Amino acid sequence: MALPDYIEDLEKWQSEFSHSYPVTVRFSETDAFGHLNNTVSFVYFEQGRINFFKDIGFGEEWFAKGGEGIPVTADLHCDYKRQVFFDENLEVHVKVAGIGNSSIDLHYLITNEAGKVCMTGRGRMVQVSRTSGKPLSWSKAALEKLEASQAIAG
Amino acid sequence: MALPDYIEDLEKWQSEFSHSYPVTVRFSETDAFGHLNNTVSFVYFEQGRINFFKDIGFGEEWFAKGGEGIPVTADLHCDYKRQVFFDENLEVHVKVAGIGNSSIDLHYLITNEAGKVCMTGRGRMVQVSRTSGKPLSWSKAALEKLEASQAIAG
Amino acid sequence: MALPDYIEDLEKWQSEFSHSYPVTVRFSETDAFGHLNNTVSFVYFEQGRINFFKDIGFGEEWFAKGGEGIPVTADLHCDYKRQVFFDENLEVHVKVAGIGNSSIDLHYLITNEAGKVCMTGRGRMVQVSRTSGKPLSWSKAALEKLEASQAIAG
Amino acid sequence: MALPDYIEDLEKWQSEFSHSYPVTVRFSETDAFGHLNNTVSFVYFEQGRINFFKDIGFGEEWFAKGGEGIPVTADLHCDYKRQVFFDENLEVHVKVAGIGNSSIDLHYLITNEAGKVCMTGRGRMVQVSRTSGKPLSWSKAALEKLEASQAIAG
């Protein structure tokens, strides 16, 4: 399997995920080729990402009405390794692969019940001010949460 | 074809639509049975309904940021008469079938390129106050627009 | 709460559901009004219906490649009683409300964590032959499974 | 604007697109942040890609029932440059940026009515045999169509 440029060593990369969330393929998510439509991976990434944010304590800051910062998607990438079909039970793994001033690079891994890699991916999220629309630097508390999520994984 | 209870005479009912909007079936909207997934009809109904509202002059009132009223879906019904496949060019027809104090009953008809009936449907929309969340009576201007849309059809 | 015509007595109707399935509102399922988009209820109905079919032993017959019959949606109806927001944990309840020669009438109830009714619905499914496209009568085994699902509920 | 690694010179890159397709943002495609949900760009990419394939004469080969090859998504990437809102009229531009033995690299550009860049993207498609599931080399006729699509753009 040729590796995308955000993965150096697949085994090491996989071992660094410590947060994952189950998702079962819905019938409405399949397409006429009989498998999961390619656009749905990004729905699973978003769902995994939001669960991850809640797990590390970002839920209130980002999704409560009063929060100053909101997460904006800067880019998203998905590599499709294995076809996925209706009713498969998948796991969406998420980790912080890099931390900027007001952004993070998240990596994604979707595995099937046999533990096989179905999709890998990555994407950068930027924290933006709800009022100014400009990038908003991480607070010290936020940075600590992001770093802690990596430490757990190590 | 057995008629649903909101259609008395199919030919007459069909003749009363004067607004319609084209939509082409996307690949991501099909499912593993090879046809349009049943849930997508309601996406087409919504799209037709919004185009209809814009056509009759409701766009600004309902979708502009400053408007007082917003449209809320009270119920929706779809009858599936004919399978629809990837890349078919459909027409979504919309009409006002009844007008209440703060609500309307909309009827929907989806036809294919041969003019055959694929889906029929109906649903009630209620105008609700953005601030109080309570039903908001139609203004005189709004009523006139709704009635005019029916007159055109007659 | 005005009752739709498929519900005579809400309390009795609710008590007859014995199968339910959890679903959490995804961010991508909300819309710019800030709540669950109306079209997504039908995705939840489909998901509940398929889980229900698996529970009562229809999974293999309908979703395995070799099966003769496939389920086709004849109609669908949803009544919206309460707004639903991002991240709410819902339960999709499904029951068989009527059995025909080759069809069933399914009823749906979506409740929130407080047990409040968010949506109710119904829809008829027809078993169709994969080869002829014509309605296919229930086998004796299938009928027994459908009836058993009602008995459990009683 | 920092450029993604698949764009060397934005102006030159933009000038090489000669196929584009209109799409209007649906209400059901927005999310509770009030803009187009990030996952929908990939629906627009797929829609643009399929229109492009039809335009260059691949429709019959890939989407007809009898065709030997089917297109499989190997990877997809989207860079989000500008927020997009309900009811905006967008253009999805598609071009062939590279041709392999059995694959192509497609580039995508989504612009708004003012001609501003909203999203850019790329992704590799592989032609796979419907029977063996293995990559299937382009026929001479297919290669000529792919190259012709680039010539038009030049």
Side-chain angles (χ1 to χ4, degrees):
Chain A
M1 185 165 88
L3 291 177
D5 62 8
Y6 52 89
I7 305 178
E8 261 184 64
D9 175 320
L10 183 61
E11 214 167 311
K12 181 170 179 298
W13 183 80
Q14 273 194 253
S15 74
E16 289 162 357
F17 287 94
S18 57
H19 293 77
S20 81
Y21 311 94
V23 67
T24 300
V25 177
R26 292 177 178 169
F27 194 72
S28 57
E29 295 169 347
T30 61
D31 66 29
F33 283 152
H35 57 207
L36 184 75
N37 185 260
N38 66 81
T39 66
V40 184
S41 324
F42 299 97
V43 175
Y44 295 173
F45 285 179
E46 180 176 76
Q47 189 59 15
R49 177 166 74 235
I50 288 172
N51 281 322
F52 176 76
F53 288 145
K54 290 200 295 180
D55 269 3
I56 68 167
F58 268 48
E60 276 166 63
E61 290 179 42
W62 276 0
F63 301 102
K65 294 233 159 168
E68 190 191 344
I70 55 168
V72 168
T73 305
D75 76 333
L76 275 174
H77 191 122
C78 181
D79 289 274
Y80 302 83
K81 296 303 182 189
R82 192 180 297 267
Q83 286 191 83
V84 166
F85 296 92
F86 167 61
D87 211 31
E88 281 198 52
N89 296 310
L90 308 174
E91 282 288 318
V92 184
H93 309 256
V94 184
K95 69 174 170 185
V96 173
I99 306 177
N101 264 339
S102 57
S103 69
I104 39 172
D105 195 38
L106 291 176
H107 284 194
Y108 303 96
L109 165 65
I110 299 183
T111 50
N112 63 16
E113 273 189 296
K116 299 279 187 186
V117 176
C118 299
M119 293 101 172
T120 64
R122 57 153 298 285
R124 200 162 61 91
M125 303 295 298
V126 180
Q127 180 177 245
V128 163
S129 159
R130 201 182 284 263
T131 46
S132 75
K134 298 261 162 74
L136 181 71
S137 296
W138 300 117
S139 66
K140 197 163 166 266
L143 265 180
E144 277 166 9
K145 287 174 189 170
L146 292 171
E147 281 159 6
S149 85
Q150 294 181 299
I152 294 164
Chain B
M1 186 166 88
L3 291 176
D5 61 8
Y6 53 89
I7 305 178
E8 258 183 66
D9 175 319
L10 183 61
E11 216 168 309
K12 182 171 180 298
W13 183 79
Q14 274 194 254
S15 74
E16 288 161 357
F17 287 93
S18 58
H19 293 77
S20 81
Y21 311 94
V23 68
T24 301
V25 177
R26 295 175 176 170
F27 194 72
S28 57
E29 295 169 346
T30 61
D31 66 30
F33 282 152
H35 58 206
L36 185 74
N37 184 259
N38 67 79
T39 65
V40 183
S41 325
F42 299 97
V43 174
Y44 295 174
F45 284 178
E46 182 178 75
Q47 188 61 14
R49 177 167 72 234
I50 287 172
N51 281 323
F52 176 77
F53 288 144
K54 290 201 295 181
D55 270 5
I56 68 168
F58 268 48
E60 278 166 62
E61 290 179 44
W62 276 0
F63 301 104
K65 294 234 161 170
E68 190 191 344
I70 55 168
V72 168
T73 306
D75 76 332
L76 276 173
H77 192 124
C78 180
D79 288 274
Y80 302 83
K81 295 304 182 187
R82 191 178 299 267
Q83 285 191 84
V84 167
F85 297 93
F86 167 60
D87 212 31
E88 280 198 52
N89 296 310
L90 307 175
E91 282 288 318
V92 184
H93 310 256
V94 184
K95 70 174 169 186
V96 173
I99 306 176
N101 265 338
S102 56
S103 69
I104 39 174
D105 195 38
L106 292 175
H107 283 193
Y108 304 96
L109 165 65
I110 299 183
T111 50
N112 63 16
E113 274 190 295
K116 300 277 187 187
V117 176
C118 300
M119 291 102 172
T120 65
R122 56 154 297 285
R124 201 163 60 91
M125 302 294 297
V126 181
Q127 181 177 243
V128 163
S129 159
R130 201 183 284 264
T131 45
S132 76
K134 297 262 161 75
L136 181 70
S137 295
W138 300 117
S139 66
K140 197 163 166 270
L143 264 179
E144 277 166 8
K145 288 172 187 171
L146 292 171
E147 280 159 6
S149 84
Q150 295 181 299
I152 295 163
Chain C
M1 186 165 89
L3 290 177
D5 62 7
Y6 52 89
I7 305 178
E8 259 183 66
D9 175 320
L10 183 60
E11 214 168 311
K12 182 171 178 298
W13 183 79
Q14 274 194 253
S15 74
E16 289 162 356
F17 287 95
S18 58
H19 293 77
S20 81
Y21 311 95
V23 67
T24 301
V25 177
R26 294 176 176 169
F27 194 71
S28 57
E29 295 168 347
T30 61
D31 66 30
F33 283 151
H35 58 207
L36 185 74
N37 185 260
N38 67 80
T39 66
V40 184
S41 324
F42 299 97
V43 174
Y44 294 174
F45 285 179
E46 181 178 74
Q47 188 61 13
R49 178 167 72 234
I50 288 171
N51 281 323
F52 176 76
F53 288 145
K54 290 201 294 181
D55 270 5
I56 68 168
F58 268 48
E60 278 166 61
E61 290 178 43
W62 276 359
F63 301 103
K65 294 234 162 170
E68 191 191 342
I70 54 168
V72 168
T73 306
D75 76 334
L76 276 173
H77 192 124
C78 180
D79 289 273
Y80 302 83
K81 295 305 181 188
R82 192 179 297 267
Q83 286 190 84
V84 167
F85 297 92
F86 168 61
D87 212 31
E88 280 199 52
N89 296 310
L90 308 174
E91 282 287 319
V92 184
H93 309 256
V94 184
K95 70 174 170 187
V96 174
I99 306 177
N101 265 338
S102 55
S103 70
I104 38 174
D105 196 37
L106 291 175
H107 284 192
Y108 304 96
L109 166 65
I110 299 182
T111 50
N112 63 15
E113 274 189 295
K116 299 279 188 185
V117 175
C118 300
M119 292 100 170
T120 64
R122 56 152 298 285
R124 201 163 60 91
M125 303 293 298
V126 181
Q127 180 177 243
V128 163
S129 159
R130 201 182 284 263
T131 46
S132 75
K134 298 261 161 76
L136 181 70
S137 296
W138 300 116
S139 65
K140 198 163 166 268
L143 266 180
E144 278 165 9
K145 288 173 188 170
L146 293 171
E147 281 159 6
S149 84
Q150 294 181 299
I152 295 164
Chain D
M1 183 166 90
L3 290 177
D5 61 8
Y6 53 87
I7 305 178
E8 260 183 65
D9 175 321
L10 183 62
E11 216 167 309
K12 182 171 178 297
W13 183 79
Q14 274 194 254
S15 74
E16 289 162 356
F17 287 93
S18 58
H19 292 77
S20 81
Y21 311 94
V23 67
T24 300
V25 177
R26 294 176 178 169
F27 194 73
S28 57
E29 296 169 345
T30 61
D31 66 29
F33 283 152
H35 57 208
L36 185 74
N37 184 261
N38 67 80
T39 66
V40 184
S41 324
F42 299 97
V43 175
Y44 294 174
F45 285 178
E46 180 177 75
Q47 189 60 14
R49 177 167 73 234
I50 288 171
N51 281 323
F52 176 77
F53 288 145
K54 290 200 295 180
D55 269 5
I56 67 167
F58 268 47
E60 277 166 62
E61 290 178 44
W62 275 0
F63 301 104
K65 295 235 160 167
E68 192 190 343
I70 54 169
V72 169
T73 306
D75 76 332
L76 276 173
H77 193 123
C78 180
D79 288 275
Y80 301 84
K81 295 304 181 188
R82 192 179 297 268
Q83 284 191 83
V84 167
F85 296 92
F86 167 61
D87 212 30
E88 281 199 51
N89 296 310
L90 307 174
E91 281 289 318
V92 184
H93 309 256
V94 184
K95 69 175 169 186
V96 173
I99 306 177
N101 265 339
S102 55
S103 69
I104 40 174
D105 195 37
L106 291 175
H107 283 193
Y108 303 96
L109 165 65
I110 299 182
T111 50
N112 63 15
E113 273 189 297
K116 300 278 189 187
V117 175
C118 300
M119 292 102 172
T120 64
R122 57 153 297 285
R124 200 162 59 90
M125 303 293 299
V126 181
Q127 180 177 244
V128 162
S129 159
R130 202 183 283 265
T131 45
S132 76
K134 298 261 161 75
L136 181 70
S137 295
W138 300 116
S139 66
K140 196 161 166 272
L143 265 179
E144 278 165 9
K145 287 173 188 170
L146 292 171
E147 282 159 5
S149 84
Q150 294 181 301
I152 295 165

Coordinates of all heavy atoms in Angstrom, one line a residue, chain D residues 4 9 29 33 35 40-41 56 73 77 79 86-87 95-96 103-105 118 124 131 133 146:
Chain D
P4 N -2.1 25.5 -2.0 CA -1.9 24.1 -1.7 C -0.9 23.5 -2.7 O -0.6 24.2 -3.8 CB -3.3 23.4 -2.0 CG -4.1 24.4 -2.7 CD -3.5 25.8 -2.4
D9 N 0.9 28.2 -9.7 CA 0.5 29.6 -10.0 C -1.0 29.6 -10.2 O -1.6 29.1 -11.1 CB 1.2 29.9 -11.4 CG 0.9 31.3 -11.8 OD1 -0.3 31.7 -11.7 OD2 1.8 32.0 -12.4
E29 N -28.2 21.7 2.7 CA -26.7 21.5 2.7 C -26.0 22.5 3.6 O -24.8 22.4 3.7 CB -26.2 21.7 1.2 CG -26.8 20.6 0.3 CD -26.5 20.9 -1.2 OE1 -26.2 22.0 -1.5 OE2 -26.7 20.0 -2.0
F33 N -23.8 26.4 11.7 CA -23.0 27.6 11.7 C -23.5 28.6 10.6 O -22.9 29.6 10.4 CB -21.5 27.2 11.4 CG -20.8 26.7 12.6 CD1 -19.7 25.8 12.5 CD2 -21.2 27.1 13.9 CE1 -19.1 25.3 13.6 CE2 -20.5 26.5 15.1 CZ -19.5 25.7 14.9
H35 N -23.5 28.3 7.3 CA -22.9 28.2 6.0 C -23.0 26.8 5.4 O -23.5 25.9 6.1 CB -21.5 28.7 6.0 CG -20.6 27.9 7.0 ND1 -19.5 28.5 7.6 CD2 -20.7 26.7 7.5 CE1 -19.0 27.6 8.4 NE2 -19.7 26.5 8.4
V40 N -20.2 18.9 2.0 CA -20.9 19.0 0.8 C -20.0 19.3 -0.4 O -20.4 19.0 -1.6 CB -22.1 20.0 0.9 CG1 -22.9 20.1 -0.3 CG2 -23.0 19.7 2.1
S41 N -18.9 19.9 -0.2 CA -17.9 20.2 -1.3 C -17.7 19.0 -2.1 O -17.5 19.0 -3.3 CB -16.6 20.7 -0.8 OG -16.7 21.5 0.3
I56 N -17.0 14.6 -21.9 CA -15.9 14.1 -22.7 C -16.2 12.7 -23.3 O -15.3 12.2 -23.9 CB -14.5 14.1 -21.9 CG1 -14.5 13.1 -20.8 CG2 -14.2 15.5 -21.3 CD1 -13.1 12.9 -20.2
T73 N -12.8 6.1 -6.6 CA -12.1 7.2 -6.0 C -10.9 6.7 -5.2 O -11.0 5.9 -4.3 CB -13.0 8.0 -5.1 OG1 -14.2 8.3 -5.8 CG2 -12.4 9.2 -4.5
H77 N -9.2 15.7 -2.0 CA -8.6 16.8 -1.2 C -9.4 18.0 -1.5 O -9.7 18.3 -2.6 CB -7.2 17.0 -1.6 CG -6.4 17.8 -0.6 ND1 -5.3 17.4 0.0 CD2 -6.7 19.1 -0.2 CE1 -4.8 18.4 0.8 NE2 -5.7 19.4 0.7
D79 N -9.5 22.3 -0.3 CA -9.1 23.4 0.4 C -10.2 24.5 0.4 O -10.7 24.9 -0.6 CB -7.8 24.0 -0.2 CG -6.6 23.1 0.0 OD1 -6.0 23.3 1.1 OD2 -6.4 22.2 -0.8
F86 N -26.3 29.7 1.9 CA -27.5 29.2 1.3 C -27.9 30.0 0.1 O -27.7 31.3 0.1 CB -28.7 29.4 2.3 CG -30.0 29.2 1.6 CD1 -30.4 28.0 1.0 CD2 -31.0 30.3 1.6 CE1 -31.6 27.9 0.4 CE2 -32.2 30.1 1.0 CZ -32.5 28.9 0.4
D87 N -28.2 29.3 -1.0 CA -28.8 29.9 -2.2 C -27.7 30.6 -3.1 O -28.1 31.2 -4.1 CB -29.8 31.0 -1.8 CG -30.9 31.0 -2.9 OD1 -31.2 30.0 -3.6 OD2 -31.5 32.1 -3.1
K95 N -10.9 19.7 -14.3 CA -10.0 19.5 -15.4 C -9.1 18.2 -15.1 O -9.0 17.8 -14.0 CB -9.0 20.7 -15.7 CG -8.1 20.9 -14.5 CD -7.1 22.0 -14.9 CE -6.3 22.5 -13.7 NZ -5.4 23.6 -13.9
V96 N -8.6 17.6 -16.2 CA -7.6 16.5 -16.0 C -6.2 17.1 -15.9 O -5.7 17.8 -16.8 CB -7.7 15.6 -17.3 CG1 -6.6 14.6 -17.2 CG2 -9.0 15.0 -17.4
S103 N -5.4 5.5 -14.4 CA -5.9 6.5 -13.4 C -5.8 7.9 -14.0 O -5.1 8.2 -15.0 CB -5.1 6.5 -12.1 OG -3.8 6.9 -12.3
I104 N -6.5 8.9 -13.4 CA -6.3 10.3 -13.7 C -6.3 11.1 -12.5 O -6.9 10.7 -11.4 CB -7.5 10.8 -14.6 CG1 -8.8 10.3 -14.2 CG2 -7.2 10.6 -16.1 CD1 -10.0 10.9 -14.9
D105 N -5.6 12.2 -12.5 CA -5.6 13.2 -11.5 C -6.6 14.3 -11.9 O -6.3 15.0 -12.9 CB -4.2 13.7 -11.2 CG -4.1 14.4 -9.9 OD1 -4.8 14.0 -8.9 OD2 -3.4 15.4 -9.8
C118 N -13.9 29.8 -4.0 CA -14.4 29.4 -2.7 C -13.7 28.1 -2.2 O -13.4 28.0 -1.1 CB -15.9 29.1 -2.9 SG -16.8 30.6 -3.4
R124 N -7.6 11.6 -7.2 CA -7.2 10.6 -8.2 C -8.4 9.6 -8.4 O -8.9 9.2 -7.4 CB -5.9 9.9 -7.8 CG -5.2 9.2 -9.0 CD -3.7 8.9 -8.6 NE -3.7 8.1 -7.5 CZ -3.7 6.7 -7.5 NH1 -3.7 6.1 -8.7 NH2 -3.6 6.0 -6.4
T131 N -15.3 -6.8 -13.1 CA -15.3 -8.3 -12.8 C -14.2 -8.6 -11.9 O -14.4 -9.3 -10.9 CB -15.3 -9.1 -14.1 OG1 -14.3 -8.5 -15.0 CG2 -16.6 -9.1 -14.8
G133 N -12.0 -6.4 -10.3 CA -11.7 -5.5 -9.2 C -10.3 -4.9 -9.3 O -9.9 -4.1 -8.5
L146 N -9.4 11.8 -22.9 CA -8.8 12.5 -21.8 C -7.9 13.6 -22.3 O -7.9 14.7 -21.7 CB -8.1 11.5 -20.9 CG -9.0 10.5 -20.1 CD1 -8.2 9.4 -19.4 CD2 -9.9 11.2 -19.1

